[in-house]
Amino acid sequence: QAVWLTHRVPRVRDRPWHILWQSPARHRRSRAFGGMVFFTVFATIDSLTLLFAMTGLNAASGFALKCIADLEHDLTNATDFLASMKLSGKVEVVFIAINFLACLPFLGNWWMVPPQFLWVAFKAFRMVTGADGITEKDAYQKNIYLKHRKIHTMSLFFYLISWFIYFARAMTAVMDIHVHGISPYD
């Protein structure tokens, strides 16, 4: 008889299960892969949170500009204008806080954090000093509402630029999940 006929080749069912499903090199990489998955998922959640916050800031700034335009063209009275501006201010503060907290983990690591923190400081300074406030008797004075319109226009442009950068970051983070193969659809 030939030697090759007597040599027993191990059958598939005789091998340990982990060898059947993955290579030993992949098994050694699993710990590092788990850390990568955590950071990828964290970055995706954070990017989507930033995009959500910036979308809210765009909406709040746009609503404030709409309120000022309605007052300027006599489509609303001073009382409704002040109530709408107060609501817009509250919404803006909530979304600024969300944006600030979502940027906090990247302090010193991402170039967008310093401009965002400077903007938070600017808005906080205006809120503390009362520069964002407007009274009912001053509501119809053109120089007063034009000053507020200028600030909210500046806010809108800052938020729009940031929104496009956040959108690109969010889409990149979502695609990163597919690149690393941790998506259930891969």
Side-chain angles (χ1 to χ4, degrees):
Q1 255 187 9
V3 176
W4 61 274
L5 289 175
T6 61
H7 179 59
R8 181 175 176 268
V9 177
R11 292 176 294 182
V12 171
R13 68 178 180 206
D14 294 336
R15 295 181 185 175
W17 67 271
H18 72 275
I19 294 174
L20 294 175
W21 301 110
Q22 63 185 3
S23 69
R26 181 178 169 103
H27 185 68
R28 284 191 299 272
R29 286 181 289 165
S30 66
R31 286 186 206 107
F33 184 73
M36 182 180 62
V37 169
F38 171 76
F39 287 120
T40 303
V41 170
F42 175 77
T44 303
I45 291 170
D46 190 70
S47 295
L48 293 174
T49 303
L50 286 167
L51 185 63
F52 171 73
M54 201 49 64
T55 302
L57 287 169
N58 274 307
S61 185
F63 183 65
L65 287 171
K66 181 204 174 294
C67 295
I68 293 169
D70 287 348
L71 181 72
E72 185 178 12
H73 298 290
D74 288 331
L75 298 175
T76 188
N77 60 22
T79 306
D80 291 340
F81 166 73
L82 292 176
S84 298
M85 287 296 285
K86 187 174 182 180
L87 174 65
S88 171
K90 286 180 181 179
V91 169
E92 189 173 22
V93 166
V94 167
F95 283 112
I96 281 178
I98 293 170
N99 186 42
F100 176 79
L101 292 174
C103 283
L104 205 54
F106 302 103
L107 183 61
N109 294 328
W110 187 35
W111 65 272
M112 274 296 286
V113 174
Q116 296 297 324
F117 283 5
L118 287 173
W119 188 257
V120 169
F122 171 72
K123 290 303 251 182
F125 176 76
R126 285 187 54 82
M127 189 171 57
V128 168
T129 60
D132 274 344
I134 189 168
T135 62
E136 195 166 345
K137 68 180 179 109
D138 293 337
Y140 287 107
Q141 292 181 9
K142 189 171 183 169
N143 62 342
I144 300 292
Y145 68 75
L146 286 180
K147 180 180 74 169
H148 284 276
R149 184 169 71 185
K150 183 175 76 171
I151 294 294
H152 288 291
T153 302
M154 187 172 59
S155 297
L156 182 66
F157 280 111
F158 180 75
Y159 296 151
L160 278 174
I161 292 167
S162 298
W163 187 89
F164 282 111
I165 294 167
Y166 284 3
F167 180 76
R169 178 188 165 118
M171 293 306 107
T172 305
V174 168
M175 292 308 297
D176 199 29
I177 288 176
H178 294 290
V179 168
H180 291 298
I182 60 175
S183 170
Y185 301 107
D186 288 339

